[in-house]
Amino acid sequence: MSFRRGVVRQSKFRHVFAQAWKAEHCMDDVRVTRVTWEAPLCAANPKFIALIVEAGGGGAFLVLPLNKSGRVDQNTPTVCGHAAPVLDVQWCPHDDNVIASASEDCTVKVWQIPDGGLKSPMTEAIVTLEGHSKRVGILAWHPTALNILLTAGCDNMLCIWDVGTGELVYQLSDAHPDLIYSVCWNREGNIICTTCKDKALRVIDPRRGTVLKVKEKAHEGTRPMRAVFLSDGKILTTGFSRMSERQLALWDTKDLTEPMAIQEMDTSNGVLLPFYDPDTSMVYLCGKGDCTIRYFEVTDESPYLHFISLYSSKEPQRGAGFLCKRGVDVNKCEIARFYKLHERKVEPISMTVPRKSDLFQGDLYPDTAGPEPSLLAEDWIAGQDAPPLLISLSGGYVAPASKHKDTLRGRPKLPLQSANSGPAATATTPVAKETEAETPAPAKVVQETEAATDKARKEEDQLNEILAEVRALKAVVLAQGQRIDLLERHLARIDDGDV
């Protein structure tokens, strides 16, 4: 009898090792919310971790430094401006200090978290978005355009906002006949995929308000589905079969007739939340109520979905936060990190690829999406698209200080006439002169230097705003010119009798 040796699939991620952090590095005594909503309930970035927690008389979430460990004091200040429970939180990909929250009070609020975290309870949001008639449970920031935020509510409506101005720029009210389960942007942010209670998977152009593709009964089970776009344009879905088996499926958006691949796993009833890493083409599946995290590698060759391994623990998870790639420890070959939510504890879990060398492993860390946006909100609204701006993780990523006013500014406006040029300025001038006369010479020099610096800074800010306005107007002109050309061609076809 002879045995033929099988061909082993070559992949540097075949031996990804998952390990929970030691107890002293966990966060204890965190009262994770008991709200019955199929969401991660947690979000993490290189600076902070946000956790939706129990709150009496409204909704609240905790924001803690990412390196926080040990017991979390019950008096720790929270973000508590909602009038009803919070259902979802998402960090802005272009500013690690900005976070959006969605609530049962039908509003979405955007908050600016100071560096170092909260010193007192935060009740006043910098922007409140009101446009939904029922509770809002889904948030999705645009991957490349600054200040563009998508929200989905239980009114079966999709809203797209310019957070910088607080404007509702697009609204899709008739694309879904029932409750929306999930929404995900593609890599460039020009289309989205959604799943719905009617069991359909949809591909939508949000700016045109049109449904491009529909797959009825992507999963035949009645339990909720989830969908995420992959970096190559394919779609990964999780759902249930008619026999209530949990499934993972891969779809080609060019033809949604049949899935490229489908895997059935078990008969547990927890909804599988997919977390996709575009840098490694790996997807991690976390089921609420499960004690496991499954992870797969997605490739271009059949069978496309390759099961890697299974992390298992004794306690079930209430939710899970997935840290963006900029936050992982490249010195330990960590390619992903989860924050597993227990009933009263948050436990970090690291996914690492064991390597002997201490040098930076460039093959594990291709350039990843950085915090700088590729487009302004106005550019995207005008029809432009762009891939993410990439950065290298060689040497590790250091999060910059808060951008404060620069992130959530509205569309730039031309500077108004200076307040110092009218009659009021004339009235205050003698007072200024008297003050100058009483000021000692060295102090006067410092004062003048500071005044000159402030003036230069203001002039620079005004110049930047004017340049941004010019760029935005150019984008609008370009888009309108393209539209005019299209209409003229259409008119010429009508004149020629082609239509």
Side-chain angles (χ1 to χ4, degrees):
M1 185 181 293
S2 62
F3 295 93
R4 186 173 63 183
R5 191 173 181 177
V7 178
V8 178
R9 186 177 69 91
Q10 296 297 313
S11 171
K12 49 184 169 286
F13 301 113
R14 284 195 308 119
H15 302 292
V16 173
F17 178 62
Q19 185 172 30
W21 290 21
K22 294 180 179 179
E24 58 265 29
H25 298 304
C26 297
M27 302 176 206
D28 298 310
D29 213 14
V30 178
R31 297 175 299 163
V32 177
T33 181
R34 296 179 179 274
V35 66
T36 55
W37 186 253
E38 300 292 350
L41 309 180
C42 174
N45 70 20
K47 285 187 180 181
F48 302 106
I49 179 171
L51 311 153
I52 303 176
V53 294
E54 285 287 290
F61 60 95
L62 270 174
V63 175
L64 301 171
L66 195 67
N67 56 6
K68 169 70 178 173
S69 61
R71 182 177 178 273
V72 177
D73 192 281
Q74 293 300 304
N75 296 320
T76 301
T78 61
V79 181
C80 49
H82 283 286
V86 176
L87 300 179
D88 194 14
V89 289
Q90 292 292 331
W91 290 103
C92 174
H94 306 125
D95 189 334
D96 291 334
N97 293 73
V98 173
I99 187 169
S101 59
S103 168
E104 287 189 2
D105 65 9
C106 306
T107 68
V108 173
K109 293 179 182 286
V110 181
W111 315 83
Q112 183 102 32
I113 307 299
D115 281 332
L118 301 181
K119 305 301 180 188
S120 60
M122 182 174 282
T123 58
E124 295 296 324
I126 48 177
V127 181
T128 297
L129 308 174
E130 298 177 332
H132 289 280
S133 59
K134 294 185 179 180
R135 60 181 178 170
V136 188
I138 298 174
L139 299 168
W141 289 95
H142 194 283
T144 62
L146 182 67
N147 290 342
I148 294 294
L149 176 65
L150 185 149
T151 63
C154 293
D155 49 10
N156 310 336
M157 193 161 62
L158 292 174
C159 294
I160 298 179
W161 309 82
D162 180 351
V163 174
T165 62
E167 292 179 73
L168 176 60
V169 292
Y170 297 105
Q171 186 178 68
L172 287 78
S173 55
D174 55 359
H176 300 87
D178 213 327
L179 181 66
I180 301 168
Y181 283 145
S182 70
V183 180
C184 182
W185 295 95
N186 70 338
R187 184 171 180 266
E188 290 78 19
N190 61 334
I191 55 175
I192 58 175
C193 66
T194 68
T195 57
C196 180
K197 195 173 181 179
D198 67 354
K199 303 181 185 180
L201 167 67
R202 291 175 174 83
V203 180
I204 299 172
D205 182 336
R207 285 176 296 201
R208 291 167 53 196
T210 56
V211 178
L212 305 177
K213 301 269 187 177
V214 180
K215 171 58 183 176
E216 305 286 350
K217 293 186 179 181
H219 295 273
E220 296 193 352
T222 56
R223 297 281 291 144
M225 298 190 303
R226 290 290 184 275
V228 291
F229 259 115
L230 306 188
S231 56
D232 61 0
K234 296 184 181 71
I235 297 175
L236 198 74
T237 61
T238 63
F240 293 79
S241 70
R242 189 180 302 170
M243 304 302 293
S244 297
E245 293 175 306
R246 294 198 291 191
Q247 296 177 319
L248 173 67
L250 182 66
W251 305 86
D252 186 347
T253 50
K254 296 174 184 175
D255 183 7
L256 295 178
T257 308
E258 293 293 333
M260 296 175 63
I262 190 165
Q263 287 205 12
E264 295 185 344
M265 283 164 280
D266 55 30
T267 53
S268 177
N269 64 357
V271 176
L272 287 171
L273 304 179
F275 297 93
Y276 173 65
D277 178 4
D279 301 334
T280 60
S281 294
M282 289 185 63
V283 63
Y284 304 85
L285 304 181
C286 298
K288 295 188 75 171
D290 287 6
C291 300
T292 59
I293 299 176
R294 293 175 172 84
Y295 38 108
F296 296 76
E297 185 179 1
V298 185
T299 65
D300 295 330
E301 298 177 357
S302 182
Y304 305 111
L305 298 174
H306 304 274
F307 175 72
I308 301 294
S309 189
L310 177 79
Y311 167 79
S312 183
S313 60
K314 295 180 181 178
E315 296 185 49
Q317 54 228 11
R318 299 278 296 277
F322 187 59
L323 181 64
C324 76
K325 186 57 67 74
R326 292 181 289 117
V328 301
D329 189 345
V330 298
N331 297 317
K332 295 181 179 178
C333 295
E334 181 184 46
I335 60 168
R337 187 189 306 168
F338 283 88
Y339 287 88
K340 177 181 174 180
L341 305 189
H342 298 249
E343 189 171 353
R344 294 186 72 90
K345 183 175 78 170
V346 181
E347 179 184 37
I349 299 170
S350 287
M351 306 287 179
T352 58
V353 179
R355 292 284 173 91
K356 294 180 181 180
S357 173
D358 293 331
L359 300 175
F360 175 71
Q361 304 294 309
D363 62 323
L364 298 182
Y365 302 102
D367 289 354
T368 191
E372 289 299 318
S374 307
L375 302 168
L376 294 176
E378 304 92 298
D379 301 333
W380 184 79
I381 293 168
Q384 294 187 41
D385 298 311
L389 298 179
L390 305 182
I391 60 171
S392 172
L393 293 180
S394 178
Y397 175 80
V398 178
S402 171
K403 298 177 184 177
H404 291 297
K405 63 176 183 179
D406 293 330
T407 300
L408 290 174
R409 57 177 171 77
R411 291 198 182 92
K413 297 179 177 62
L414 292 173
L416 301 174
Q417 186 178 5
S418 173
N420 295 327
S421 59
T426 307
T428 58
T429 303
V431 178
K433 287 182 177 177
E434 287 175 15
T435 307
E436 287 175 8
E438 296 170 1
T439 306
K444 183 178 177 182
V445 173
V446 173
Q447 201 174 53
E448 290 177 349
T449 304
E450 290 177 349
T453 304
D454 289 342
K455 183 180 179 182
R457 189 182 298 116
K458 288 178 181 177
E459 289 176 350
E460 185 179 356
D461 288 345
Q462 288 181 350
L463 179 61
N464 288 335
E465 289 181 351
I466 293 171
L467 290 174
E469 177 73 5
V470 170
R471 287 198 300 271
L473 290 173
K474 283 183 177 178
V476 172
V477 170
L478 177 63
Q480 296 299 333
Q482 292 172 345
R483 178 65 176 164
I484 290 169
D485 289 343
L486 180 65
L487 292 173
E488 287 179 342
R489 287 198 299 272
H490 189 63
L491 187 60
R493 290 175 61 197
I494 292 174
D495 292 340
D496 294 341
D498 294 340
V499 178

